Amino acid sequence: MPKTGLTRIVVNSALLLLAISAVFPVIWIGYNSLKTAPEFLLNNFSLPADPTLASYREILDDRAFFVALRNSLFYTIASTVLIVLFSFVVGYFLARFDFRGRKAIYGLFVAGLVIPIPSLLVPIFLQYRGIGMYDNQFTLLLPYVAFGLSIAVVIMESYIREISVEIDEAAHMDGAGLFTLMWVVIFPICRPAVSTVALLSFIAAWNEFAFAVTLVRNEEFRPLTLWLRTFAGQYSVNYPGMMAGMVLATIPVILIYLFFRDKISAGFAGGAVKM
Amino acid sequence: MLDRISDLTPKALGGAKTLAAGLAISLAATTASAQDITLRFGHLWDDASPDGKVIAAALDAFAAEFPDVEVVEEVLSHDEYLAQFKVSAASGALVDVFAVNRTDIPSAARAGLLRDLDGAMETNAQWGEALTDTLVAEGVVDGETYAIPAFQIVTHVIFYNSAMLEAAGYESFPDTWEGLLSLIDALNEKDVTPIALGNKAAWVAADPLFSTLANRATGSDWYDRLLANEAKFTDPEFVASLALFEQLSDVGAFNADANSLDNDQQKALFLNEEAAMFIEGNWAIQPIIDGASPELLDNVGMAIWPSVPGGAGAPNAVSGGSGWLWAANADLDGEAAAAAEGLIAALTGEVAGRARLENGLMPSSSLQSTDGIEVPAMLAELSNQVGSGELTLVPIFVLPLPGGVFDVLGKGLQDLMTDSVTPEALAEKLQEEYERAL
Amino acid sequence: MQAFQPTRRSLWALLAPSVLVYGFIVVVPVVVGIWFSFHEMRNFQMEWAGVANYARMAGDGDLWFVLGNNVTITGLAIFFQVMPAFFIAVLMNRKDIWAEKFVRTAVFLPVVISPVVTSFVWILVFNLDSGLLNSTLAVLGLEAWQQRWLDDPEIVIYSLTAVLVWQYIGLFVVIFLAGLSAINPETLEAADVDGASFFQTAVLVVLPQMSRTVAVAMVLALSGGLKIFEHPLVMTGGGPGLASTVVAQFAYDVSFRRAQFGYGATIAITITVLSLVTVLACLWIINRLTVRSSGETDA
């Protein structure tokens, strides 16, 4: 590894530059959302001379934003909880027990990692239509859970595999049943993997667009990504207004990320990268 | 503000309630009783748009006439609506009353998805007879009327800034193709974008620009023969129309980012006086009035494509018609069907017609009276020209054709602008797509 | 595997909800899609079409063109995203990193943001007249470098790739960092003592110990390349022409704009199979290389 002072400066500057280029566009929409449209057109680089919340006020006066926010929260939280529960159960069984069909189930979930989601939109739509599940409050929940399960099962399975079987056996000796063993003994040990799965599921569901645009028609059930697309379309010539919408739609997921950020690496380390 | 936050939390958790309500709605729809009929009503115009305001006015009129009917609106944006319609139709899940694009009418009618509305037009004769015949024809398939025109549109108007034209040495809009090309040169020399174009969604070039341009080159006879499958896209007159469009792009008529902007942005370029012209339909009149400075508004003129060399088309032809029509689900019967027909009548009746004029739009029927309506001057001028025959309406090019042709033409015109395809090759591709659907 | 086993009934009862949900959303649609691919829609009704859709696909120049776009993007992403991410991760793994927490947090930040949002941001960056990119070039006196980033059919695919690299490089950095945390630190010290250069250490010492991590990264990059959908849809609508259309949008347009659901499903099924085959082939190759190059133990 290089040690000289100069290399150190070069390496660190490069990394800082990378970090800043990752963050800058986010900050850029943040401060430009506080401008008026004419000020933005004049110079979109400078800080706002006279910050205004007018764009935000306009959005918060519109019921549509709150409906979409409510829906996004519902889809995201519900699917995250379900994915964590389901993937833990599946991951535990796959890691601990040898049963007929084990390989097939594991293969099925891994295959989901490489299926291009947009290719399933049309069949899923027609299937949904066929059984009348199209366009209600729960429509988007199943696809979000199903597609989140692939990576979640892989992460959970490999994490649980790393946990010594002796723990299970000791608990079993102490008279713990399967339920106690799984949820009281093993689940708490899996906290890093659970955090990673939860964060990835939250991000995926919060930002999902393809299913939402295909499966949901009623405004009452639309998530924020759909609201944002329509909204940004209407604001295609009012950039600060559009940016205010993006900021509002993005803040929740950034907060969740900042809260869980230390955990992602840990979960990956114990999980996915060793699949 | 407060009431919004309060309806945020309980509903987020109370999905079951929504499910119950959903069940109640579907039950109500199947056992339609006189007391509570619910009509699901799908369209693509949000409340804030001029068309949306017309629909709101029509819904008020409908509610007065049918107090027991609840109308649930389902509004989608344009692209999503078109996509959703196709899948809904394919899976037999259309809502009760809906907007249908002309391009989808023949298929939907032949699949038995649309209610025959001839009876309604006879029963409610006052409404039926007021509808403009040429527009009603767009909803007729095999002799039966399956859809009622939502409005009349002219999809080709060149809005120009006469001050900029004067500065480039033009007192009036050129009346020959050569004249237009030299105007474009003159404007480019002044560093003004000649024609602002926002063609990201590909329909702006395909309809407002190309529909009328194609007619100039091919004439209406060729087009009728094309629809009858007696002419081909590869015929020289149609290839010539593609070449004309390519020529416009080659001489620098458009802004360099024409295919990454949308149609609001092309309007903005014109309103900010960065461009001398833009081309859209009559629906752009109201936004111009709302968005232009008083000086600019005085200078806005309206023109159409001049005649083109060797073209068979009439120089006063402009593309237009209805394009979007209202239809009802064929599965409806009894009270619900009557309510659906009532809703369609309200959407195209006197109240809606007046609301259209007030919002800078053109109704699809003749009004009993236009007293007390302030029609914007530009709109009045345009509808007078159409009404008097000074302008002849010709079909919006792609609409009577299958959806695939629209898709290929839209992308193909973008390709022509970037010299990625030749007019001949594009014509062949269009013919291939057309034949696939025959 | 442990000694005691739950009964088969309780085992499957607990697995059932996950497997059913997954089967319904992922497995059944694939089957439905295959059925669809042998039909075509006419007047909104499905009619048997035999293998006509597959025959059409073989001769569809547009389809192969847009598939080429996916290949371009994926290839560039592996070169400019996966490879740099590996070296960035190795650099970040050092002890003496300034503002380490900030750097680690920042690099992953774009990954969490919705593609719809980042696409809108980059539309503004690429805007011809007032965009961040062209105006920065103007300030630097580099007007000659200004481009029609989204309108030039020769350039738009690279602009699109740049956005994807920007947004997802952090994901690969985090994956490699996680992999690095598992390798034997003594080997790094030994390399250091031997005076190995940074690249020598990274390629000769670190890489061979991380073949599984590399495999995961490659799987994600390859399958990600066929999953691209939102970015071009929002940024360019796939245009000009088909210049930035990817295969997922092509299938979407064929289905939803042209109402040719049978052909749309045919394309969808084909890219699913293609994706599976590519990923399996890639895993197989990595596996072979690993077996040959080192006696790595199974994790």
mmCIF file of all heavy atoms in Angstrom, chain B residues 136-179:
data_model
loop_
_atom_site.group_PDB
_atom_site.id
_atom_site.type_symbol
_atom_site.label_atom_id
_atom_site.label_comp_id
_atom_site.label_asym_id
_atom_site.label_seq_id
_atom_site.Cartn_x
_atom_site.Cartn_y
_atom_site.Cartn_z
ATOM 1 N N VAL B 136 -68.994 13.129 -35.643
ATOM 2 C CA VAL B 136 -69.680 11.905 -35.235
ATOM 3 C C VAL B 136 -69.188 10.731 -36.073
ATOM 4 O O VAL B 136 -69.049 9.608 -35.582
ATOM 5 C CB VAL B 136 -71.216 12.072 -35.371
ATOM 6 C CG1 VAL B 136 -71.928 10.742 -35.146
ATOM 7 C CG2 VAL B 136 -71.713 13.108 -34.370
ATOM 8 N N ALA B 137 -68.867 11.002 -37.326
ATOM 9 C CA ALA B 137 -68.416 9.935 -38.223
ATOM 10 C C ALA B 137 -67.190 9.210 -37.677
ATOM 11 O O ALA B 137 -66.971 8.035 -37.976
ATOM 12 C CB ALA B 137 -68.104 10.529 -39.599
ATOM 13 N N GLU B 138 -66.399 9.880 -36.853
ATOM 14 C CA GLU B 138 -65.187 9.234 -36.310
ATOM 15 C C GLU B 138 -65.528 8.084 -35.372
ATOM 16 O O GLU B 138 -64.693 7.215 -35.117
ATOM 17 C CB GLU B 138 -64.311 10.253 -35.564
ATOM 18 C CG GLU B 138 -63.744 11.324 -36.476
ATOM 19 C CD GLU B 138 -62.760 12.243 -35.770
ATOM 20 O OE1 GLU B 138 -62.276 11.889 -34.679
ATOM 21 O OE2 GLU B 138 -62.492 13.326 -36.290
ATOM 22 N N GLY B 139 -66.737 8.105 -34.829
ATOM 23 C CA GLY B 139 -67.134 7.054 -33.890
ATOM 24 C C GLY B 139 -67.975 5.969 -34.530
ATOM 25 O O GLY B 139 -68.495 5.101 -33.832
ATOM 26 N N VAL B 140 -68.150 6.056 -35.851
ATOM 27 C CA VAL B 140 -69.011 5.085 -36.540
ATOM 28 C C VAL B 140 -68.169 3.924 -37.067
ATOM 29 O O VAL B 140 -67.151 4.131 -37.720
ATOM 30 C CB VAL B 140 -69.769 5.756 -37.698
ATOM 31 C CG1 VAL B 140 -70.560 4.720 -38.501
ATOM 32 C CG2 VAL B 140 -70.681 6.846 -37.171
ATOM 33 N N VAL B 141 -68.586 2.715 -36.719
ATOM 34 C CA VAL B 141 -67.922 1.521 -37.241
ATOM 35 C C VAL B 141 -69.002 0.633 -37.832
ATOM 36 O O VAL B 141 -69.991 0.323 -37.159
ATOM 37 C CB VAL B 141 -67.176 0.760 -36.124
ATOM 38 C CG1 VAL B 141 -66.497 -0.493 -36.697
ATOM 39 C CG2 VAL B 141 -66.148 1.660 -35.453
ATOM 40 N N ASP B 142 -68.831 0.222 -39.075
ATOM 41 C CA ASP B 142 -69.800 -0.628 -39.770
ATOM 42 C C ASP B 142 -71.224 -0.090 -39.640
ATOM 43 O O ASP B 142 -72.170 -0.833 -39.381
ATOM 44 C CB ASP B 142 -69.726 -2.070 -39.242
ATOM 45 C CG ASP B 142 -68.324 -2.657 -39.370
ATOM 46 O OD1 ASP B 142 -67.596 -2.219 -40.296
ATOM 47 O OD2 ASP B 142 -67.951 -3.525 -38.555
ATOM 48 N N GLY B 143 -71.362 1.226 -39.746
ATOM 49 C CA GLY B 143 -72.689 1.826 -39.772
ATOM 50 C C GLY B 143 -73.313 2.139 -38.421
ATOM 51 O O GLY B 143 -74.377 2.740 -38.360
ATOM 52 N N GLU B 144 -72.689 1.725 -37.317
ATOM 53 C CA GLU B 144 -73.258 2.019 -36.000
ATOM 54 C C GLU B 144 -72.364 3.019 -35.265
ATOM 55 O O GLU B 144 -71.149 2.975 -35.409
ATOM 56 C CB GLU B 144 -73.333 0.736 -35.143
ATOM 57 C CG GLU B 144 -73.851 -0.490 -35.845
ATOM 58 C CD GLU B 144 -75.375 -0.552 -35.849
ATOM 59 O OE1 GLU B 144 -75.982 0.186 -35.049
ATOM 60 O OE2 GLU B 144 -75.933 -1.310 -36.658
ATOM 61 N N THR B 145 -72.999 3.864 -34.442
ATOM 62 C CA THR B 145 -72.230 4.861 -33.698
ATOM 63 C C THR B 145 -71.825 4.288 -32.340
ATOM 64 O O THR B 145 -72.681 3.984 -31.515
ATOM 65 C CB THR B 145 -73.058 6.135 -33.479
ATOM 66 O OG1 THR B 145 -73.610 6.517 -34.733
ATOM 67 C CG2 THR B 145 -72.200 7.255 -32.927
ATOM 68 N N TYR B 146 -70.529 4.151 -32.112
ATOM 69 C CA TYR B 146 -70.043 3.561 -30.863
ATOM 70 C C TYR B 146 -69.387 4.589 -29.940
ATOM 71 O O TYR B 146 -69.032 4.271 -28.816
ATOM 72 C CB TYR B 146 -69.053 2.441 -31.152
ATOM 73 C CG TYR B 146 -69.705 1.214 -31.753
ATOM 74 C CD1 TYR B 146 -69.634 0.960 -33.121
ATOM 75 C CD2 TYR B 146 -70.414 0.331 -30.940
ATOM 76 C CE1 TYR B 146 -70.244 -0.163 -33.664
ATOM 77 C CE2 TYR B 146 -71.023 -0.785 -31.469
ATOM 78 C CZ TYR B 146 -70.940 -1.028 -32.835
ATOM 79 O OH TYR B 146 -71.546 -2.138 -33.369
ATOM 80 N N ALA B 147 -69.177 5.794 -30.428
ATOM 81 C CA ALA B 147 -68.513 6.797 -29.586
ATOM 82 C C ALA B 147 -68.917 8.185 -30.048
ATOM 83 O O ALA B 147 -69.212 8.391 -31.224
ATOM 84 C CB ALA B 147 -67.003 6.630 -29.658
ATOM 85 N N ILE B 148 -68.978 9.111 -29.087
ATOM 86 C CA ILE B 148 -69.430 10.477 -29.371
ATOM 87 C C ILE B 148 -68.220 11.409 -29.270
ATOM 88 O O ILE B 148 -67.496 11.383 -28.267
ATOM 89 C CB ILE B 148 -70.495 10.898 -28.334
ATOM 90 C CG1 ILE B 148 -71.676 9.939 -28.352
ATOM 91 C CG2 ILE B 148 -70.928 12.345 -28.557
ATOM 92 C CD1 ILE B 148 -72.451 9.901 -29.660
ATOM 93 N N PRO B 149 -67.990 12.237 -30.298
ATOM 94 C CA PRO B 149 -66.804 13.108 -30.284
ATOM 95 C C PRO B 149 -66.781 14.014 -29.058
ATOM 96 O O PRO B 149 -67.778 14.643 -28.722
ATOM 97 C CB PRO B 149 -66.943 13.920 -31.573
ATOM 98 C CG PRO B 149 -68.391 13.825 -31.938
ATOM 99 C CD PRO B 149 -68.829 12.466 -31.473
ATOM 100 N N ALA B 150 -65.642 14.056 -28.385
ATOM 101 C CA ALA B 150 -65.527 14.851 -27.157
ATOM 102 C C ALA B 150 -65.426 16.331 -27.462
ATOM 103 O O ALA B 150 -65.874 17.161 -26.684
ATOM 104 C CB ALA B 150 -64.310 14.396 -26.367
ATOM 105 N N PHE B 151 -64.814 16.669 -28.580
ATOM 106 C CA PHE B 151 -64.606 18.077 -28.908
ATOM 107 C C PHE B 151 -64.202 18.174 -30.364
ATOM 108 O O PHE B 151 -64.073 17.163 -31.058
ATOM 109 C CB PHE B 151 -63.510 18.701 -28.027
ATOM 110 C CG PHE B 151 -62.341 17.792 -27.763
ATOM 111 C CD1 PHE B 151 -61.527 17.354 -28.799
ATOM 112 C CD2 PHE B 151 -62.065 17.337 -26.475
ATOM 113 C CE1 PHE B 151 -60.459 16.505 -28.567
ATOM 114 C CE2 PHE B 151 -60.990 16.486 -26.241
ATOM 115 C CZ PHE B 151 -60.193 16.074 -27.286
ATOM 116 N N GLN B 152 -64.007 19.383 -30.801
ATOM 117 C CA GLN B 152 -63.390 19.570 -32.109
ATOM 118 C C GLN B 152 -62.014 20.161 -31.874
ATOM 119 O O GLN B 152 -61.865 21.093 -31.084
ATOM 120 C CB GLN B 152 -64.237 20.507 -32.963
ATOM 121 C CG GLN B 152 -63.510 20.960 -34.216
ATOM 122 C CD GLN B 152 -64.484 21.324 -35.331
ATOM 123 O OE1 GLN B 152 -65.387 20.577 -35.671
ATOM 124 N NE2 GLN B 152 -64.301 22.492 -35.884
ATOM 125 N N ILE B 153 -61.014 19.603 -32.525
ATOM 126 C CA ILE B 153 -59.705 20.237 -32.436
ATOM 127 C C ILE B 153 -59.149 20.480 -33.825
ATOM 128 O O ILE B 153 -59.455 19.758 -34.776
ATOM 129 C CB ILE B 153 -58.669 19.397 -31.640
ATOM 130 C CG1 ILE B 153 -58.758 17.923 -32.009
ATOM 131 C CG2 ILE B 153 -58.816 19.610 -30.152
ATOM 132 C CD1 ILE B 153 -57.671 17.078 -31.382
ATOM 133 N N VAL B 154 -58.350 21.524 -33.903
ATOM 134 C CA VAL B 154 -57.518 21.740 -35.069
ATOM 135 C C VAL B 154 -56.124 21.440 -34.571
ATOM 136 O O VAL B 154 -55.668 22.042 -33.591
ATOM 137 C CB VAL B 154 -57.621 23.196 -35.558
ATOM 138 C CG1 VAL B 154 -56.612 23.469 -36.659
ATOM 139 C CG2 VAL B 154 -59.030 23.481 -36.053
ATOM 140 N N THR B 155 -55.458 20.448 -35.157
ATOM 141 C CA THR B 155 -54.176 20.044 -34.564
ATOM 142 C C THR B 155 -52.984 20.723 -35.224
ATOM 143 O O THR B 155 -51.849 20.406 -34.886
ATOM 144 C CB THR B 155 -53.967 18.517 -34.628
ATOM 145 O OG1 THR B 155 -53.791 18.127 -35.989
ATOM 146 C CG2 THR B 155 -55.139 17.774 -34.015
ATOM 147 N N HIS B 156 -53.242 21.623 -36.159
ATOM 148 C CA HIS B 156 -52.098 22.289 -36.787
ATOM 149 C C HIS B 156 -52.332 23.794 -36.855
ATOM 150 O O HIS B 156 -53.186 24.262 -37.617
ATOM 151 C CB HIS B 156 -51.873 21.759 -38.201
ATOM 152 C CG HIS B 156 -50.887 22.565 -38.994
ATOM 153 N ND1 HIS B 156 -49.530 22.481 -38.781
ATOM 154 C CD2 HIS B 156 -51.055 23.485 -39.974
ATOM 155 C CE1 HIS B 156 -48.914 23.324 -39.607
ATOM 156 N NE2 HIS B 156 -49.811 23.942 -40.347
ATOM 157 N N VAL B 157 -51.634 24.522 -36.022
ATOM 158 C CA VAL B 157 -51.622 25.984 -36.124
ATOM 159 C C VAL B 157 -50.170 26.413 -35.938
ATOM 160 O O VAL B 157 -49.509 25.973 -34.991
ATOM 161 C CB VAL B 157 -52.482 26.659 -35.030
ATOM 162 C CG1 VAL B 157 -52.442 28.181 -35.198
ATOM 163 C CG2 VAL B 157 -53.911 26.158 -35.049
ATOM 164 N N ILE B 158 -49.662 27.220 -36.858
ATOM 165 C CA ILE B 158 -48.331 27.792 -36.654
ATOM 166 C C ILE B 158 -48.535 29.118 -35.928
ATOM 167 O O ILE B 158 -49.092 30.060 -36.485
ATOM 168 C CB ILE B 158 -47.597 28.034 -37.995
ATOM 169 C CG1 ILE B 158 -47.503 26.724 -38.793
ATOM 170 C CG2 ILE B 158 -46.218 28.629 -37.744
ATOM 171 C CD1 ILE B 158 -46.862 26.893 -40.168
ATOM 172 N N PHE B 159 -48.148 29.172 -34.681
ATOM 173 C CA PHE B 159 -48.194 30.444 -33.951
ATOM 174 C C PHE B 159 -46.875 31.161 -34.208
ATOM 175 O O PHE B 159 -45.809 30.576 -34.020
ATOM 176 C CB PHE B 159 -48.371 30.173 -32.456
ATOM 177 C CG PHE B 159 -49.673 29.486 -32.114
ATOM 178 C CD1 PHE B 159 -49.731 28.104 -31.969
ATOM 179 C CD2 PHE B 159 -50.838 30.226 -31.944
ATOM 180 C CE1 PHE B 159 -50.929 27.462 -31.675
ATOM 181 C CE2 PHE B 159 -52.038 29.590 -31.638
ATOM 182 C CZ PHE B 159 -52.090 28.203 -31.506
ATOM 183 N N TYR B 160 -46.956 32.400 -34.674
ATOM 184 C CA TYR B 160 -45.694 33.091 -34.949
ATOM 185 C C TYR B 160 -45.659 34.463 -34.301
ATOM 186 O O TYR B 160 -46.690 35.076 -34.007
ATOM 187 C CB TYR B 160 -45.423 33.177 -36.453
ATOM 188 C CG TYR B 160 -46.409 34.015 -37.248
ATOM 189 C CD1 TYR B 160 -46.198 35.387 -37.446
ATOM 190 C CD2 TYR B 160 -47.538 33.428 -37.823
ATOM 191 C CE1 TYR B 160 -47.092 36.144 -38.191
ATOM 192 C CE2 TYR B 160 -48.438 34.175 -38.553
ATOM 193 C CZ TYR B 160 -48.218 35.546 -38.739
ATOM 194 O OH TYR B 160 -49.105 36.297 -39.455
ATOM 195 N N ASN B 161 -44.440 34.928 -34.077
ATOM 196 C CA ASN B 161 -44.190 36.224 -33.460
ATOM 197 C C ASN B 161 -43.925 37.218 -34.583
ATOM 198 O O ASN B 161 -42.844 37.227 -35.176
ATOM 199 C CB ASN B 161 -42.973 36.080 -32.528
ATOM 200 C CG ASN B 161 -42.644 37.361 -31.807
ATOM 201 O OD1 ASN B 161 -42.928 38.455 -32.291
ATOM 202 N ND2 ASN B 161 -42.021 37.215 -30.640
ATOM 203 N N SER B 162 -44.933 38.046 -34.904
ATOM 204 C CA SER B 162 -44.815 38.885 -36.101
ATOM 205 C C SER B 162 -43.688 39.914 -35.968
ATOM 206 O O SER B 162 -43.076 40.285 -36.967
ATOM 207 C CB SER B 162 -46.156 39.576 -36.397
ATOM 208 O OG SER B 162 -46.532 40.366 -35.295
ATOM 209 N N ALA B 163 -43.362 40.320 -34.733
ATOM 210 C CA ALA B 163 -42.257 41.270 -34.563
ATOM 211 C C ALA B 163 -40.936 40.642 -35.000
ATOM 212 O O ALA B 163 -40.096 41.283 -35.629
ATOM 213 C CB ALA B 163 -42.182 41.728 -33.113
ATOM 214 N N MET B 164 -40.765 39.359 -34.662
ATOM 215 C CA MET B 164 -39.525 38.673 -35.056
ATOM 216 C C MET B 164 -39.474 38.465 -36.562
ATOM 217 O O MET B 164 -38.403 38.561 -37.173
ATOM 218 C CB MET B 164 -39.434 37.320 -34.352
ATOM 219 C CG MET B 164 -38.985 37.420 -32.906
ATOM 220 S SD MET B 164 -38.773 35.754 -32.242
ATOM 221 C CE MET B 164 -38.026 36.143 -30.679
ATOM 222 N N LEU B 165 -40.643 38.161 -37.151
ATOM 223 C CA LEU B 165 -40.668 38.000 -38.603
ATOM 224 C C LEU B 165 -40.310 39.315 -39.287
ATOM 225 O O LEU B 165 -39.539 39.345 -40.248
ATOM 226 C CB LEU B 165 -42.052 37.512 -39.060
ATOM 227 C CG LEU B 165 -42.174 36.002 -39.328
ATOM 228 C CD1 LEU B 165 -41.866 35.218 -38.066
ATOM 229 C CD2 LEU B 165 -43.531 35.644 -39.881
ATOM 230 N N GLU B 166 -40.870 40.407 -38.750
ATOM 231 C CA GLU B 166 -40.556 41.727 -39.334
ATOM 232 C C GLU B 166 -39.077 42.024 -39.236
ATOM 233 O O GLU B 166 -38.451 42.494 -40.183
ATOM 234 C CB GLU B 166 -41.348 42.821 -38.594
ATOM 235 C CG GLU B 166 -42.533 43.329 -39.393
ATOM 236 C CD GLU B 166 -43.436 44.213 -38.546
ATOM 237 O OE1 GLU B 166 -42.924 45.239 -38.041
ATOM 238 O OE2 GLU B 166 -44.604 43.850 -38.347
ATOM 239 N N ALA B 167 -38.510 41.740 -38.063
ATOM 240 C CA ALA B 167 -37.081 41.996 -37.872
ATOM 241 C C ALA B 167 -36.247 41.201 -38.865
ATOM 242 O O ALA B 167 -35.142 41.616 -39.233
ATOM 243 C CB ALA B 167 -36.675 41.649 -36.444
ATOM 244 N N ALA B 168 -36.774 40.055 -39.295
ATOM 245 C CA ALA B 168 -36.044 39.259 -40.279
ATOM 246 C C ALA B 168 -36.425 39.642 -41.703
ATOM 247 O O ALA B 168 -36.005 38.997 -42.665
ATOM 248 C CB ALA B 168 -36.334 37.778 -40.042
ATOM 249 N N GLY B 169 -37.251 40.671 -41.839
ATOM 250 C CA GLY B 169 -37.585 41.177 -43.162
ATOM 251 C C GLY B 169 -38.865 40.621 -43.752
ATOM 252 O O GLY B 169 -39.067 40.675 -44.964
ATOM 253 N N TYR B 170 -39.742 40.086 -42.921
ATOM 254 C CA TYR B 170 -40.987 39.522 -43.441
ATOM 255 C C TYR B 170 -42.190 40.257 -42.853
ATOM 256 O O TYR B 170 -42.410 40.235 -41.645
ATOM 257 C CB TYR B 170 -41.075 38.025 -43.121
ATOM 258 C CG TYR B 170 -40.171 37.201 -44.000
ATOM 259 C CD1 TYR B 170 -38.794 37.178 -43.779
ATOM 260 C CD2 TYR B 170 -40.685 36.480 -45.073
ATOM 261 C CE1 TYR B 170 -37.965 36.448 -44.590
ATOM 262 C CE2 TYR B 170 -39.850 35.733 -45.887
ATOM 263 C CZ TYR B 170 -38.497 35.726 -45.653
ATOM 264 O OH TYR B 170 -37.659 34.994 -46.465
ATOM 265 N N GLU B 171 -42.950 40.906 -43.725
ATOM 266 C CA GLU B 171 -44.131 41.644 -43.284
ATOM 267 C C GLU B 171 -45.294 40.698 -42.990
ATOM 268 O O GLU B 171 -46.154 40.987 -42.174
ATOM 269 C CB GLU B 171 -44.556 42.661 -44.345
ATOM 270 C CG GLU B 171 -43.567 43.805 -44.542
ATOM 271 C CD GLU B 171 -43.404 44.666 -43.286
ATOM 272 O OE1 GLU B 171 -44.437 44.919 -42.601
ATOM 273 O OE2 GLU B 171 -42.272 45.078 -42.980
ATOM 274 N N SER B 172 -45.308 39.587 -43.717
ATOM 275 C CA SER B 172 -46.391 38.630 -43.485
ATOM 276 C C SER B 172 -45.823 37.223 -43.574
ATOM 277 O O SER B 172 -44.677 37.029 -43.997
ATOM 278 C CB SER B 172 -47.488 38.812 -44.536
ATOM 279 O OG SER B 172 -46.968 38.479 -45.808
ATOM 280 N N PHE B 173 -46.654 36.241 -43.170
ATOM 281 C CA PHE B 173 -46.172 34.864 -43.189
ATOM 282 C C PHE B 173 -46.051 34.387 -44.630
ATOM 283 O O PHE B 173 -46.954 34.593 -45.433
ATOM 284 C CB PHE B 173 -47.138 33.974 -42.395
ATOM 285 C CG PHE B 173 -46.535 32.659 -42.016
ATOM 286 C CD1 PHE B 173 -45.770 32.554 -40.864
ATOM 287 C CD2 PHE B 173 -46.700 31.537 -42.817
ATOM 288 C CE1 PHE B 173 -45.193 31.338 -40.506
ATOM 289 C CE2 PHE B 173 -46.124 30.322 -42.473
ATOM 290 C CZ PHE B 173 -45.361 30.221 -41.304
ATOM 291 N N PRO B 174 -44.924 33.747 -44.980
ATOM 292 C CA PRO B 174 -44.710 33.344 -46.370
ATOM 293 C C PRO B 174 -45.800 32.371 -46.856
ATOM 294 O O PRO B 174 -46.278 31.549 -46.092
ATOM 295 C CB PRO B 174 -43.347 32.647 -46.346
ATOM 296 C CG PRO B 174 -43.040 32.401 -44.924
ATOM 297 C CD PRO B 174 -43.778 33.402 -44.124
ATOM 298 N N ASP B 175 -46.176 32.514 -48.154
ATOM 299 C CA ASP B 175 -47.233 31.628 -48.648
ATOM 300 C C ASP B 175 -46.706 30.584 -49.625
ATOM 301 O O ASP B 175 -47.474 29.927 -50.314
ATOM 302 C CB ASP B 175 -48.391 32.428 -49.249
ATOM 303 C CG ASP B 175 -47.891 33.399 -50.309
ATOM 304 O OD1 ASP B 175 -46.688 33.314 -50.656
ATOM 305 O OD2 ASP B 175 -48.687 34.238 -50.779
ATOM 306 N N THR B 176 -45.396 30.433 -49.689
ATOM 307 C CA THR B 176 -44.832 29.322 -50.457
ATOM 308 C C THR B 176 -43.811 28.599 -49.600
ATOM 309 O O THR B 176 -43.312 29.145 -48.608
ATOM 310 C CB THR B 176 -44.094 29.813 -51.727
ATOM 311 O OG1 THR B 176 -42.987 30.631 -51.304
ATOM 312 C CG2 THR B 176 -45.011 30.610 -52.633
ATOM 313 N N TRP B 177 -43.526 27.340 -49.977
ATOM 314 C CA TRP B 177 -42.552 26.529 -49.239
ATOM 315 C C TRP B 177 -41.175 27.181 -49.292
ATOM 316 O O TRP B 177 -40.483 27.287 -48.288
ATOM 317 C CB TRP B 177 -42.521 25.122 -49.833
ATOM 318 C CG TRP B 177 -41.673 24.152 -49.059
ATOM 319 C CD1 TRP B 177 -40.469 23.641 -49.423
ATOM 320 C CD2 TRP B 177 -41.991 23.585 -47.782
ATOM 321 N NE1 TRP B 177 -40.009 22.796 -48.468
ATOM 322 C CE2 TRP B 177 -40.917 22.734 -47.436
ATOM 323 C CE3 TRP B 177 -43.057 23.720 -46.885
ATOM 324 C CZ2 TRP B 177 -40.869 22.004 -46.256
ATOM 325 C CZ3 TRP B 177 -43.019 22.986 -45.715
ATOM 326 C CH2 TRP B 177 -41.941 22.151 -45.393
ATOM 327 N N GLU B 178 -40.798 27.688 -50.506
ATOM 328 C CA GLU B 178 -39.495 28.354 -50.645
ATOM 329 C C GLU B 178 -39.425 29.560 -49.727
ATOM 330 O O GLU B 178 -38.413 29.835 -49.084
ATOM 331 C CB GLU B 178 -39.239 28.794 -52.091
ATOM 332 C CG GLU B 178 -39.039 27.662 -53.082
ATOM 333 C CD GLU B 178 -40.331 26.909 -53.401
ATOM 334 O OE1 GLU B 178 -41.436 27.502 -53.258
ATOM 335 O OE2 GLU B 178 -40.251 25.714 -53.765
ATOM 336 N N GLY B 179 -40.550 30.286 -49.685
ATOM 337 C CA GLY B 179 -40.609 31.468 -48.817
ATOM 338 C C GLY B 179 -40.377 31.079 -47.363
ATOM 339 O O GLY B 179 -39.638 31.755 -46.626
#
